[in-house]
Amino acid sequence: QAQMAATSMHDNWLDSESGTHQVSSSESRQPAFPTQAAVRSEVKGRVLVVEDNPINQIVVGELLKKLGYEVDKVDNGAMAVQAIQENKKYTFILMDCQMPVMNGFEATREIRRIEGANHNPIIALTANAFRETKESCFEAGMDDFATKPITTENLNLVITRTLKKYN
């Protein structure tokens, strides 16, 4: 029996055995998302999502997969620091700012200390769009800033802008 996996927050489904993508009749006029098999063949890199909210982890993870990235997820800044200490290299890190255990600002400072000059790009992902928060992100060592909720288009724009600084 074919296993089914959700590919978005809508009624889009991927049949994991055949690799086919099915769209509900209410969405049949919309362009289909690429199947996971198609995305896997065009992987752009690996991303670390640092987010304490499980729903946000799922949504952001699916957006990133749609854009062609493989995704690792952790629940707080301390876990992100641990991933970097284990010598993991990421194309970039999406970092929530407000989390329990260790917030995104502290985690970014610690990651920058560990990495030295050869570091992973870090993009802040926060619901707070105030200028002071944005300045705090840059002061902590983050490379760019995105606000929640985020669309695929906005996420891709921020990723592209950030990665241009490193290429």
Side-chain angles (χ1 to χ4, degrees):
Q1 193 177 55
Q3 296 177 355
M4 304 294 267
T7 59
S8 76
M9 298 304 289
H10 304 289
D11 293 330
N12 295 309
W13 296 94
L14 171 70
D15 182 322
S16 62
E17 286 182 9
S18 68
T20 60
H21 182 243
Q22 301 170 359
V23 180
S24 69
S25 59
S26 64
E27 297 184 5
S28 60
R29 290 184 206 101
Q30 296 180 1
F33 296 113
T35 66
Q36 288 179 352
V39 168
R40 273 194 298 271
S41 67
E42 302 172 14
V43 173
K44 295 179 179 177
R46 179 167 293 282
V47 178
L48 178 63
V49 174
V50 187
E51 169 66 61
D52 61 317
N53 182 303
I55 302 289
N56 289 343
Q57 280 187 358
I58 292 168
V59 171
V60 171
E62 290 301 318
L63 292 176
L64 289 165
K65 287 176 187 174
K66 184 175 161 183
L67 292 171
Y69 294 96
E70 293 178 342
V71 179
D72 290 346
K73 302 172 191 171
V74 295
D75 298 333
N76 60 60
M79 295 172 78
V81 170
Q82 181 179 353
I84 298 305
Q85 286 174 327
E86 293 171 358
N87 295 317
K88 292 189 180 173
K89 180 71 177 159
Y90 292 96
T91 306
F92 61 92
I93 299 168
L94 273 180
M95 180 78 71
D96 185 18
C97 293
Q98 301 301 322
M99 297 175 288
V101 183
M102 180 185 280
N103 69 39
F105 304 110
E106 294 172 61
T108 298
R109 285 185 196 97
E110 184 62 16
I111 289 169
R112 293 297 185 234
R113 186 189 67 72
I114 293 166
E115 294 176 320
N118 213 4
H119 67 258
N120 292 282
I122 299 177
I123 300 170
L125 186 59
T126 182
N128 186 341
F130 295 116
R131 182 176 48 87
E132 294 83 14
T133 302
K134 193 172 185 177
E135 289 171 1
S136 295
C137 291
F138 292 125
E139 287 170 8
M142 295 179 190
D143 299 287
D144 214 325
F145 184 90
T147 56
K148 300 178 211 171
I150 192 156
T151 64
T152 306
E153 294 77 18
N154 286 341
L155 182 58
N156 193 42
L157 177 71
V158 173
I159 292 167
T160 301
R161 181 175 62 217
T162 302
L163 296 181
K164 279 183 181 179
K165 297 174 189 176
Y166 287 85
N167 294 332

